[in-house]
Amino acid sequence: MRTNRIYFSMILAAAVLFVPLPRGTSQTTNWQQIPIAPLPAFHPQQPKRIELSNGMVIFLEEDHELPLIDGSARIRGGSRNEPAGKVGLVDIFGEVWRTGGTKTETGDQLDDFLEVRAAKVETGGEPDSTSISLSCLKGDFDDVFPVFADLLKNPEFRADKLDLAQKQANDSISRRNDEVGEIAARESAKLAYGADNPYAREPEYSTIAAITRQDLLDWHTTYVHPNHIILGISGDFDSVAMEAKLRATFEAWPRGPDLPENEIQYHSAKPGYYLIPKEDVNQSNIHMVALGTTRNNPDYYAISVFNEAFGGGFSSRLFNDIRTKRGLAYNVGGGIGANFGHPGILQFVVGTKSGTTIESIQALDEDIDNLAKQPITDKEIQEAKDAIQNAFIFRLDSPDKVLAERVTYEFYGYPSDWLDKFPAEIQKVTAADVNRVAAKYVHRDQLAVLVVGNTKEFDKPLSSLGPVKEIDITIPPPPGAKEDESAKPTASNEEGKALAAKVVAAMGGEETLTAIKAVKAELTLTQKTPQGEFPMQMETVIVYPDHLHAEMQTPGGTMKVVVTPDTPAPTAGADCASPPPFWQRTTQPGGSSIASMPATMPRPCAAVTDRSSVSTSVGCPSAFSRKRSTNRQLSRWPPAIG
């Protein structure tokens, strides 16, 4: 019986396989012939808008998927409004507002209260606003919301927390020149907006030191009033009950005075070349910048399509040419920046190795110039539209995102249906529109070009392109700070010279040292791991001035490193999961590995530490290619000298 069932199933399967499919269901041979249905209309649930008699605007967005409630109040007045002599005030305000607690509870006490409920109440500051937010379980809302409301209306700004925030701000200032990307972004904003513009200026030690507790109290008194607040609440609640609770809490709060208009002046840098030398890097950050526009500009939709087509993604013109075709950049892109409340930055950015800096600038120049000679095509525009439309849904794929958008439009005075019109407006954009905005806004001769990089490794001097102005990014010292005298060289180094002479004499004299042709050393490196210690034998041979051969026996096999003047230098990052692509490594039979890098070998030193902690990040055949702490033991010293 079972055999019959199996036999019948085989016949049925064969019949299905050989029955011809209807003509409409046959597989197409060209993917471009696959019909694509138009995107369905998208109408997300809109939040309920409420305006209290004191001017506070509230948005309520129900979301019953999870038993959570989130809320955020956005308050007009941000760093754009702070005095020039107290830059950083809003950042400090946003920090100490929460850590300083209320008049009845310290910030530490609030921490304890909230942590046991897995809840959050946080504050912060932005260029146009300050904010206070909450997040908690639905069942804890009646406990957490009073903390939110009390902190909103009755902060204390305790002096010890102000002192801590100032120290943290000073620490950030001291490290602001550590990252090349951060330097390029910061200084390019100054070129686009003007160094003294509120959207570009940076706090200094002196401006942080000038901030007092009274400044924080005065800011709160001036700006935190119900008629300056837009409050959004989303989550698992009933809108009628929530509205009643919010009215009971905030309706009686007196309205405050209207805020004065704060006119912002923009003074972009003159077109030309600006340089920030950074000798400790092997890559260049290139930013071409000018002042952008705002999102209520009628050209915004055409600008959006242009940005996507020209410099917005993997299929953009800049990416396909400068990265894919020419192989000059690891990142490239840009466009005409547009913000809600103030102009964005028109900028084009290239990241490239030092040796192709000038070539990359010229490639970007060429692509910008070609906008007039080779306008954006219909195909490029359609691909850009598709990318924008397909990504649009992810801006509104959850109720909290819908709420955030509505709060933003309310804050900046945009129509409530501004985003609803976005897909249709994008679809209306034509090739003529895109090329018109390109010609209107993008002018190569009006761009300031900032280069941050190692000038010693540039393919040509930046001055070969035109006059260059060097930008000084030295951090001004704190008020009253004295110059570190210990950093200055002493008047005489006689003691050091005498010590060096003794070392040279102990090693056989200067003639003996200069006659050394090569050095051979045998070492034992002990790798400490959770599985125990692994001793590894290593032998190095240095042939002066610039050749090295090192061989190490590892648990994963033999690793060999060869250094010659003609090999590229590796740069291994901390905790890297794999070697960089330019660390060329070949694995030999038996698991051995060969890597190559350049160096100029130092002459033998007079003394070494026989046990020290070193960090390595190497491309070895072992699976453990990450930062390690290794105890190095020298099994033989002095090494054999030949």
Side-chain angles (χ1 to χ4, degrees):
M1 186 70 177
R2 181 178 178 183
T3 302
N4 292 338
R5 284 202 302 268
I6 295 174
Y7 181 68
F8 177 75
S9 299
M10 293 175 63
I11 294 175
L12 181 61
V16 170
L17 289 174
F18 289 100
V19 170
L21 293 173
R23 189 174 188 85
T25 61
S26 61
Q27 186 174 2
T28 181
T29 58
N30 187 339
W31 66 269
Q32 293 178 327
Q33 296 176 355
I34 298 175
I36 300 176
L39 292 173
F42 178 61
H43 301 292
Q45 174 184 323
Q46 294 297 318
K48 179 181 180 181
R49 184 185 186 277
I50 304 162
E51 185 168 353
L52 305 185
S53 59
N54 56 15
M56 178 184 281
V57 175
I58 298 171
F59 288 97
L60 300 179
E61 180 80 88
E62 292 188 28
D63 178 10
H64 302 287
E65 183 176 2
L66 295 171
L68 301 172
I69 296 178
D70 297 299
S72 180
R74 189 168 185 180
I75 303 130
R76 299 187 188 279
S79 59
R80 59 173 282 167
N81 305 102
E82 62 193 7
K86 296 179 186 286
V87 176
L89 170 62
V90 167
D91 288 335
I92 296 291
F93 176 88
E95 177 72 17
V96 185
W97 191 359
R98 170 62 178 83
T99 61
T102 66
K103 297 186 185 302
T104 58
E105 301 283 343
T106 68
D108 295 337
Q109 289 172 324
L110 294 181
D111 289 342
D112 294 338
F113 179 85
L114 295 168
E115 283 174 4
V116 298
R117 294 165 175 79
K120 294 191 300 181
V121 174
E122 302 295 341
T123 57
E126 299 293 336
D128 298 328
S129 63
T130 58
S131 63
I132 177 171
S133 62
L134 69 85
S135 179
C136 66
L137 291 168
K138 174 183 179 180
D140 292 325
F141 183 76
D142 287 342
D143 294 328
V144 175
F145 179 69
V147 174
F148 171 87
D150 192 22
L151 191 62
L152 174 62
K153 296 193 283 186
N154 304 299
E156 183 61 14
F157 302 110
R158 287 176 169 81
D160 60 327
K161 299 303 183 181
L162 169 59
D163 181 65
L164 177 60
Q166 288 174 311
K167 290 177 179 177
Q168 292 172 335
N170 286 340
D171 183 60
S172 296
I173 292 171
S174 71
R175 293 183 285 104
R176 73 183 182 199
N177 290 337
D178 291 353
E179 297 293 332
V180 176
E182 181 182 342
I183 294 170
R186 181 185 73 227
E187 299 301 324
S188 63
K190 292 181 181 180
L191 293 176
Y193 290 133
D196 296 327
N197 185 279
Y199 293 108
R201 61 193 181 190
E202 291 286 326
E204 302 290 354
Y205 292 121
S206 59
T207 64
I208 295 297
I211 298 168
T212 66
R213 178 174 179 270
Q214 189 60 47
D215 291 325
L216 307 185
L217 292 168
D218 290 345
W219 185 279
H220 186 269
T221 300
T222 302
Y223 291 97
V224 184
H225 296 285
N227 48 311
H228 305 155
I229 297 174
I230 303 171
L231 173 62
I233 305 283
S234 67
D236 189 12
F237 57 81
D238 175 73
S239 293
V240 175
M242 181 62 73
E243 179 180 348
K245 178 181 285 290
L246 296 178
R247 286 187 180 276
T249 303
F250 297 121
E251 188 85 71
W253 190 6
R255 183 185 184 97
D258 292 337
L259 296 175
E261 289 293 329
N262 186 21
E263 186 176 352
I264 304 295
Q265 300 293 326
Y266 299 91
H267 302 287
S268 300
K270 294 180 179 179
Y273 295 94
Y274 297 82
L275 174 67
I276 300 176
K278 201 82 166 61
E279 295 185 357
D280 58 343
V281 299
N282 58 9
Q283 297 168 342
S284 293
N285 280 256
I286 303 164
H287 287 233
M288 296 185 177
V289 300
L291 193 64
T293 187
T294 55
R295 298 193 183 192
N296 56 5
N297 185 335
D299 290 333
Y300 174 69
Y301 304 103
I303 286 172
S304 298
V305 177
F306 166 78
N307 288 347
E308 182 67 29
F310 187 64
F314 293 119
S315 61
S316 70
R317 184 177 288 192
L318 289 181
F319 193 95
N320 283 330
D321 181 41
I322 295 178
R323 173 167 169 155
T324 305
K325 180 180 177 182
R326 306 194 196 208
L328 292 175
Y330 51 88
N331 71 288
V332 60
I336 305 163
N339 290 330
F340 278 107
H342 66 279
I345 298 176
L346 186 158
Q347 66 176 336
F348 301 105
V349 178
V350 179
T352 187
K353 62 182 181 293
S354 301
T356 54
T357 300
I358 306 304
E359 185 179 359
S360 296
I361 294 173
Q362 292 172 327
L364 189 51
D365 287 347
E366 184 178 327
D367 282 339
I368 292 174
D369 290 341
N370 281 342
L371 285 170
K373 304 172 187 175
Q374 301 172 12
I376 304 293
T377 64
D378 289 335
K379 180 176 181 294
E380 290 175 301
I381 289 172
Q382 189 56 53
E383 289 177 352
K385 285 183 178 181
D386 290 344
I388 293 170
Q389 299 280 35
N390 290 332
F392 172 77
I393 183 64
F394 298 105
R395 295 176 63 175
L396 299 170
D397 61 350
S398 64
D400 59 309
K401 289 184 180 180
V402 175
L403 177 63
E405 290 284 345
R406 284 296 305 273
V407 169
T408 299
Y409 306 152
E410 182 79 25
F411 187 90
Y412 290 110
Y414 281 61
S416 60
D417 62 347
W418 184 82
L419 194 64
D420 299 339
K421 297 178 179 178
F422 185 83
E425 294 297 330
I426 289 294
Q427 202 58 40
K428 292 178 185 177
V429 173
T430 65
D433 295 328
V434 171
N435 291 300
R436 175 182 57 79
V437 297
K440 180 178 179 179
Y441 295 98
V442 182
H443 304 283
R444 175 61 186 87
D445 59 352
Q446 296 179 13
L447 300 180
V449 182
L450 173 67
V451 180
V452 184
N454 189 343
T455 57
K456 295 179 180 178
E457 298 180 359
F458 286 2
D459 40 344
K460 295 179 183 178
L462 185 58
S463 58
S464 64
L465 301 177
V468 177
K469 180 178 180 180
E470 190 168 313
I471 296 176
D472 182 10
I473 59 170
T474 303
I475 301 171
K482 295 182 179 180
E483 188 174 354
D484 186 4
E485 297 293 333
S486 63
K488 294 183 177 180
T490 58
S492 173
N493 288 320
E494 294 304 322
E495 291 185 9
K497 292 178 181 178
L499 179 60
K502 288 181 180 180
V503 171
V504 171
M507 298 187 72
E510 186 174 349
E511 290 185 5
T512 301
L513 291 177
T514 55
I516 293 174
K517 299 286 194 300
V519 174
K520 179 180 179 181
E522 295 178 357
L523 314 169
T524 298
L525 296 145
T526 302
Q527 174 73 57
K528 288 187 175 182
T529 73
Q531 291 75 34
E533 294 187 354
F534 293 93
M536 295 178 286
Q537 302 300 317
M538 181 175 182
E539 179 181 286
T540 63
V541 177
I542 300 172
V543 180
Y544 294 107
D546 49 18
H547 286 69
L548 177 143
H549 179 279
E551 183 172 314
M552 182 168 63
Q553 305 297 327
T554 74
T558 301
M559 177 181 176
K560 296 181 181 180
V561 177
V562 179
V563 176
T564 72
D566 303 322
T567 50
T571 304
D575 294 317
C576 62
S578 61
F582 42 84
W583 178 298
Q584 299 300 331
R585 184 187 64 191
T586 57
T587 303
Q588 296 180 326
S592 64
S593 178
I594 296 178
S596 56
M597 59 183 178
T600 299
M601 299 291 100
R603 290 283 170 178
C605 58
V608 298
T609 303
D610 62 356
R611 191 174 182 86
S612 62
S613 177
V614 298
S615 294
T616 59
S617 182
V618 296
C620 63
S622 165
F624 304 99
S625 179
R626 58 186 67 240
K627 193 173 182 180
R628 301 163 175 147
S629 178
T630 307
N631 288 323
R632 181 176 61 181
Q633 297 174 318
L634 303 185
S635 58
R636 291 181 55 187
W637 191 265
I641 297 177

